[in-house]
Amino acid sequence: MQTRVDPFLAAVIHGALENIALEMGHKLMRMSYSSIIRESEDFGTALTDATGRQLCECTMSTPLQSGPIPGYISGILRELEKRGDKVKPGDVFMHNDPYGGASHGPDVGFAVPIFHKGELAGFSVTTAHHLDIGALTPGSCGIVDAVDTYAEGLQFKAVRVYEDGRKVEPVWQILRSNIRIADLVVGDMEAQVAAARIGADRYSALLDQYGVETVTGAYEDLLDYSERLMREAIASIPDGRYNAKTFIDGYLDSPDPTLKELPIEVTLTVSGSDIHVDLTGTAPQTTHKPINMPLVGTVDCAVWLTLRSIVLDSDVYGNIPQNSGLTRPITIFAPEGCLANPIFPAPVIARFCPGNAVADTVMKAIAPAVPQQVSAGIGNLRVMAFSGVSQGAPWVHMEIMEGAYGGRFGKDGMDAVDTLYANTRNNPIEDIESHLPLRVLSYELRENVAGPGASRGGIGSIRAFELLEDGAVSVEGDGQRFKPWGFQGGADGSPAKVELARASGGVEDLPSKIPYRQLSRGDRIIAYGPCGGGYGNPRERSPQAVLEDVLDGLIDAEAARSDYAVAINGKVVDEAATQALRGQ
């Protein structure tokens, strides 16, 4: 293949680009105040060229933060053009417009333009989820009753926070005056600016070292290389149309039938080395409920990440340059006005779980074509915002509750982890209890609920939180009505559930979406994570693997017999009884 730059030099420049993004990520984590960034790693860092094409990203970034970064830059550039404005040296832009490339309002991006010899050469960008963005209730998740984007908090459309290298103080004063827990949130924002500036400095040094022509040629080669890998992988899939439909809870407690049990439909058309993804059949947008998904910033990332992880498995392909070349063979269509392509100002702040359902549906659609490269249905996540006032000051804590993967070819599903386009980490219990009036009462795996299969589904967690002072909770989740799908003869998994145990007595089952709800000291929230679907006939599971699950307390002997046709006698497999059960 003809290249613009010597391949060995291009590899050196590729390594330098990746190291820049990685350094940005490490330093953002170290400088951040809130646990959602420094512990959960709900952030993204990347470099782009002058048009917004992504050149590299931090490997610690969550896909839903790093993936939308090209959209942030495109949105900033469009907004500036609309205003008759231009990018200048010394600028720093703040952007979170969900109809302008951002994934939703709480994911605020900061972009530092990089100039080389007077010409715009690219952008250094950080994105991160912030604990509060000035919405109608505390926290930046669980705002499940927002009626439009204006109710979701402050909106920033290519807002300069630095101009000519000087801080635009009125903008920062607006932030401090309109955001709860401003010390944490504004501190995190300042950390983002600092990390983005580090990236800009490092990229400028790279341009000085090798010259803009060489660096440009190297990343053009890298974009082409990533595209070629993706096209070769797609070309190995049989041409055809592949369709799947799944459902999300919506608002299960609503009397309005148009707000619950909503379909997500995906049709993939594979033609040579191209894939077209069509979401026709997906439910209409919910005009006054915020479970709509921006097409650019959420839906596109869900599609790209899922297809990339299936057809370019890193276990097989190793380290692949993460850049915009990977998305070139993929086109996406969603009818305007559906959940996956809403019309402004339809609210979108709670797009997280529906977007992951899109990713799951993409996987279900393509599964028959590449059965050994997918998992069975995943257990979706939920996000909770705890809040209150302690010692005269407001506090907010955001907790991402894990889901679980479905069983895979030759491997069980992963237990109690973020799934598909989310890969944040959990918050250490010690960190929670040392900073907040919360006590974590339990953190364990569920029992007797994983989807049976030759490879069983992953197991969800049980997490219980007790309030040590009066406070409140908001919940943004899904997956309490519909079970994760089994595959290749595997059984379906188990849905999630949430309970409220009152200190005064009594336990209440809660729906998957709960707007701001006041709680009393001693009240407990118990979240039961969903369990992934099974892969393959459960009777083909190794009796020894079934025994190990029994000994580990994941299933009991009765489930071993009923679900897997394996007889357990004490701590051993009863071989004769098992053969009889399995008709061998």
Side-chain angles (χ1 to χ4, degrees), residues 502-514:
R502 290 287 190 183
S504 57
V507 177
E508 178 184 353
D509 288 330
L510 300 177
S512 54
K513 295 168 186 64
I514 308 164

Side-chain angles (χ1 to χ4, degrees), residues 4-6 9-10 13 210-221:
R4 301 168 183 83
V5 175
D6 176 77
L9 178 57
I13 292 173
Y210 293 106
V212 67
E213 184 175 340
T214 298
V215 172
T216 300
Y219 72 62
E220 291 289 357
D221 286 343

Side-chain angles (χ1 to χ4, degrees), residues 53-336:
R53 292 183 304 169
Q54 187 166 303
L55 309 181
C56 58
E57 67 182 38
C58 175
T59 54
M60 296 179 299
S61 299
T62 181
L64 199 49
Q65 291 285 357
S66 57
I69 283 176
Y72 278 77
I73 298 303
S74 297
I76 289 171
L77 294 175
R78 284 196 305 272
E79 180 65 24
L80 293 177
E81 182 180 14
K82 187 166 64 175
R83 300 198 305 239
D85 201 351
K86 291 184 178 180
V87 179
K88 300 186 294 290
D91 285 342
V92 178
F93 295 98
M94 175 173 61
H95 190 76
N96 75 339
D97 178 14
Y99 287 89
S103 66
H104 71 162
D107 290 350
V108 183
F110 289 85
V112 174
I114 304 164
F115 283 82
H116 182 74
K117 296 181 179 180
E119 297 293 328
L120 181 63
F123 292 89
S124 176
V125 189
T126 60
T127 62
H129 189 109
H130 291 277
L131 290 177
D132 193 88
I133 203 67
L136 72 164
T137 55
S140 55
C141 65
I143 316 291
V144 294
D145 51 351
V147 297
D148 57 26
T149 54
Y150 298 102
E152 298 177 345
L154 297 172
Q155 298 182 56
F156 314 119
K157 299 183 180 183
V159 174
R160 279 188 178 86
V161 294
Y162 281 82
E163 187 170 14
D164 294 327
R166 294 188 297 272
K167 206 170 193 179
V168 183
E169 284 294 349
V171 172
W172 292 92
Q173 186 57 48
I174 289 171
L175 294 174
R176 294 187 192 96
S177 300
N178 288 277
I179 291 175
R180 305 170 186 91
I181 53 170
D183 288 347
L184 282 180
V185 174
V186 177
D188 287 344
M189 290 177 169
E190 290 174 328
Q192 282 186 252
V193 173
R197 282 177 160 166
I198 289 169
D201 289 344
R202 300 292 186 267
Y203 190 60
S204 292
L206 190 69
L207 294 173
D208 289 338
Q209 181 177 0
Y210 293 106
V212 67
E213 184 175 340
T214 298
V215 172
T216 300
Y219 72 62
E220 291 289 357
D221 286 343
L222 290 168
L223 292 168
D224 291 347
Y225 173 70
S226 295
E227 178 186 4
R228 189 172 74 255
L229 286 177
M230 179 63 86
R231 287 195 178 280
E232 290 173 353
I234 293 171
S236 68
I237 303 171
D239 284 359
R241 296 177 74 252
Y242 304 93
N243 174 270
K245 181 187 289 189
T246 63
F247 292 84
I248 59 173
D249 293 350
Y251 293 78
L252 294 174
D253 56 338
S254 172
D256 185 348
T258 68
L259 292 178
K260 54 189 175 184
E261 301 179 352
L262 304 174
I264 304 288
E265 185 165 357
V266 171
T267 301
L268 302 175
T269 301
V270 179
S271 178
S273 64
D274 294 288
I275 291 183
H276 180 64
V277 182
D278 187 341
L279 284 95
T280 299
T282 296
Q285 69 182 50
T286 52
T287 304
H288 300 301
K289 293 290 186 181
I291 56 173
N292 305 292
M293 302 166 275
L295 178 61
V296 177
T298 295
V299 174
D300 55 357
C301 294
V303 171
W304 293 336
L305 182 278
T306 306
L307 291 175
R308 177 255 182 264
S309 63
I310 290 171
V311 304
L312 289 178
D313 190 333
S314 55
D315 277 353
V316 176
Y317 288 88
N319 183 30
I320 296 169
Q322 299 296 308
N323 56 48
S324 294
L326 291 171
T327 65
R328 289 173 178 169
I330 304 168
T331 55
I332 304 170
F333 171 79
E336 189 175 45

